[in-house]
């Protein structure tokens, strides 16, 4: 009852004040009819509050999405299943909290619900900006027919919607510098390989003790043996320069967003071609690729989810991910503006011997008129140092640029 009294609207409080005032005036002037009318007016909000408090609204909510992962510009439908597990309700006013990027907050009016009744409400959401969004919680406002009391309830449950970058279908091109096999097991000699090439597993009864890998055994604390074979997988390191100083324009219409679209398109294309893709940004490796633990997954969804929430980085490029395995795989870079420090990293990548490809964004196309023009694209420098590189313009297609790389 206390909560219901606190939920009195200005109209309800006004009725109480007006009724008590009328009753006092009736007593003062000896007008019994005025006293009766004043008491009736003052009691109406109190009776309504008592009825709201006694009804004890108990509602259940189930929220589902038609798709938890969508591309930018695509639509997902939110399904709300409302159940009355208590006594008969009054009129319910519903408001779903969603981020502004998904549109305005949807509001609904639900008529009286008898015990056990269900109501299903559907509404669409569309996001034009990549990211992870939280749908909910749902707020319920219980109001009486006279507008005297408004009681608020909020469900705590929310649902995540991941909006991934748009993916352009890319044509198949001939890629040099990477083994593009089918993933069959082939024997690999460990005595002549690098430490990173060694894959180990736990010792099993009957294993030859000559296969014990003592360095891993000392580190793990139990016997570890070398594998005789490991799956060969076409591998690619996909690098995206997501630093703020390397790009122009404001999101979502910026060179960075264009670069992320290009990165997502290449990741999906290579995964469908059987490549295992490692995603690297300016801040370092973004996902655990699991190349040396026997994992050979080529699912691009984790990459798209990471690209959906990839932030803008600051500072210089991190190089802790650069190791001797770069020379044994394909390397694709999506670049913005590069300085002399960045060229040192790019030189190291090509010097390792792997196939190096670059999509270089012409950031001046995204620069505002008042902005200072940046340095020209490094496409020519990359081509002179053994890279296969093309320039991607604001109005250009990623598919066309990718096709040009294969020429």
């Amino acid at each position: 009852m206390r909560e219901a009294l606190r939920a009195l609207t200005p109209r309800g409080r006004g009725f109480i004040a007006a009724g008590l005032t009328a009753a006092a005036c009736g007593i003062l002037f000896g007008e019994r009819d005025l006293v009766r009318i004043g008491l009736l007016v003052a009691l109406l909000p109190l009776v309504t509050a008592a009825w709201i408090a006694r009804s004890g609204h108990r509602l259940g909510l189930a929220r589902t999405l038609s798709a938890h992962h969508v591309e930018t510009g695509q639509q997902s439908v939110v399904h709300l299943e409302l159940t009355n597990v208590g006594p008969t309700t009054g009129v319910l006013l519903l408001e779903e909290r969603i981020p502004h990027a998904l549109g305005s907050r949807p509001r609904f009016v639900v008529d009286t619900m008898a015990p056990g009744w269900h109501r299903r409400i559907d509404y669409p959401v569309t996001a034009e900006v990549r990211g992870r969004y939280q749908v909910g919680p749902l707020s319920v406002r219980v109001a009486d027919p006279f507008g005297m009391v408004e009681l608020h309830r909020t469900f705590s449950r929310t649902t995540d919607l991941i909006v991934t970058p748009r993916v352009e279908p890319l044509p198949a091109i001939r890629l040099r510098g990477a083994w593009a096999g089918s993933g069959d097991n082939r024997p690999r000699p460990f005595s002549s390989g690098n430490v990173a090439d060694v894959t180990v597993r736990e010792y099993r009864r009957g294993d030859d003790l000559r296969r014990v890998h003592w360095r891993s055994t000392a580190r793990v604390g139990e016997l570890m043996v070398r594998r005789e074979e490991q799956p060969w997988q076409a591998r690619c390191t996909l690098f995206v320069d997501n630093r703020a100083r390397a790009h122009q324009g404001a999101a979502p219409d910026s060179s960075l967003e264009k670069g992320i679209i290009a990165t997502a398109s290449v990741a999906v294309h290579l995964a469908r071609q059987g490549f295992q893709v490692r995603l690297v940004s300016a801040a370092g490796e973004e996902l655990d690729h699991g190349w040396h633990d026997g994992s050979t997954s080529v699912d691009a969804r984790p990459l798209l989810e990471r690209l959906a929430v990839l932030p803008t980085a600051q500072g210089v490029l991190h190089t802790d991910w650069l190791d001797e395995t770069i020379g044994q795989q394909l390397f694709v870079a999506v670049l913005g503006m590069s300085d002399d420090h960045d060229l040192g990293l790019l030189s190291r990548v090509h010097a390792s011997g792997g196939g190096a490809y670059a999509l270089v964004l012409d950031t001046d196309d995204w620069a505002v008129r008042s902005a200072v023009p940046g340095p020209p694209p490094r496409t020519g420098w990359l081509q002179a140092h053994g890279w296969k590189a093309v320039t991607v313009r604001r109005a250009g297609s990623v598919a066309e640029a990718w096709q040009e790389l294969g020429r």
Side-chain angles (χ1 to χ4, degrees), residues 45-297:
L46 299 179
V47 172
T48 303
W51 177 73
I52 292 289
R54 187 175 180 180
S55 61
H57 295 88
R58 290 185 296 166
L59 303 174
L61 174 68
R63 182 191 296 105
T64 57
L65 301 180
S66 61
H68 289 270
H69 298 76
V70 295
E71 289 186 10
T72 53
Q74 292 184 348
Q75 187 181 89
S76 179
V77 180
V78 182
H79 307 285
L80 299 177
E81 188 76 26
L82 198 65
T83 306
N84 182 22
V85 295
T88 303
T89 68
V91 177
L92 304 179
L93 307 177
L94 309 180
E95 181 181 65
E96 182 86 313
R97 299 181 185 175
I98 61 175
H100 294 292
L102 298 182
S104 58
R105 291 184 176 183
R107 295 178 175 88
F108 311 96
V109 177
V110 178
D111 294 333
T112 301
M113 294 179 61
W117 281 21
H118 298 264
R119 290 287 188 275
R120 176 163 177 168
I121 302 172
D122 300 334
Y123 68 92
V125 292
T126 305
E128 299 296 336
V129 182
R130 61 184 175 88
R132 182 188 296 270
Y133 299 100
Q134 193 176 75
V135 180
L138 178 69
S139 299
V140 180
R141 186 174 62 178
V142 182
D144 67 287
F146 303 103
M148 302 291 181
V149 180
E150 285 186 357
L151 200 60
H152 295 266
R153 293 285 189 271
T154 301
F155 292 92
S156 60
R157 182 173 299 178
T158 61
T159 307
D160 286 340
L161 173 65
I162 300 177
V163 181
T164 58
R166 179 170 53 87
V167 175
E168 294 187 20
L170 304 182
I173 63 174
R174 183 178 180 85
L175 299 171
R176 59 179 175 83
W179 179 76
S182 60
D184 297 329
N185 289 344
R186 299 185 180 183
R188 168 174 278 189
F190 293 100
S191 58
S192 61
N194 297 318
V195 177
D197 294 327
V198 178
T199 58
V200 296
R201 60 171 173 82
E202 296 180 359
Y203 173 83
R204 301 171 186 168
R205 181 176 296 181
D207 286 336
D208 190 345
L209 292 179
R210 289 175 296 180
R211 291 169 51 197
V212 173
H213 191 260
W214 297 107
R215 186 173 301 178
S216 299
T217 299
R219 184 177 67 255
V220 177
E222 58 182 84
L223 282 177
M224 306 294 290
V225 297
R226 297 183 179 90
R227 295 179 185 268
E228 290 292 346
E229 297 178 348
Q230 72 176 27
W232 279 41
Q233 186 74 40
R235 300 172 177 174
C236 173
T237 294
L238 182 56
F239 173 79
V240 54
D241 189 354
N242 60 325
R243 295 173 300 170
R245 65 173 183 166
H247 294 277
Q248 297 275 13
D253 185 20
S254 66
S255 59
L256 174 60
E257 295 304 316
K258 182 79 170 185
I260 290 180
I261 291 174
T263 304
S265 302
V266 173
V268 172
H269 174 74
L270 293 180
R272 291 174 179 172
Q273 297 295 321
F275 280 81
Q276 188 180 8
V277 182
R278 172 173 65 166
L279 178 63
V280 178
S281 71
E285 192 167 358
E286 290 293 336
L287 290 172
D288 182 14
H289 53 78
W291 285 359
H292 308 307
D293 60 6
S295 173
T296 58
S297 173

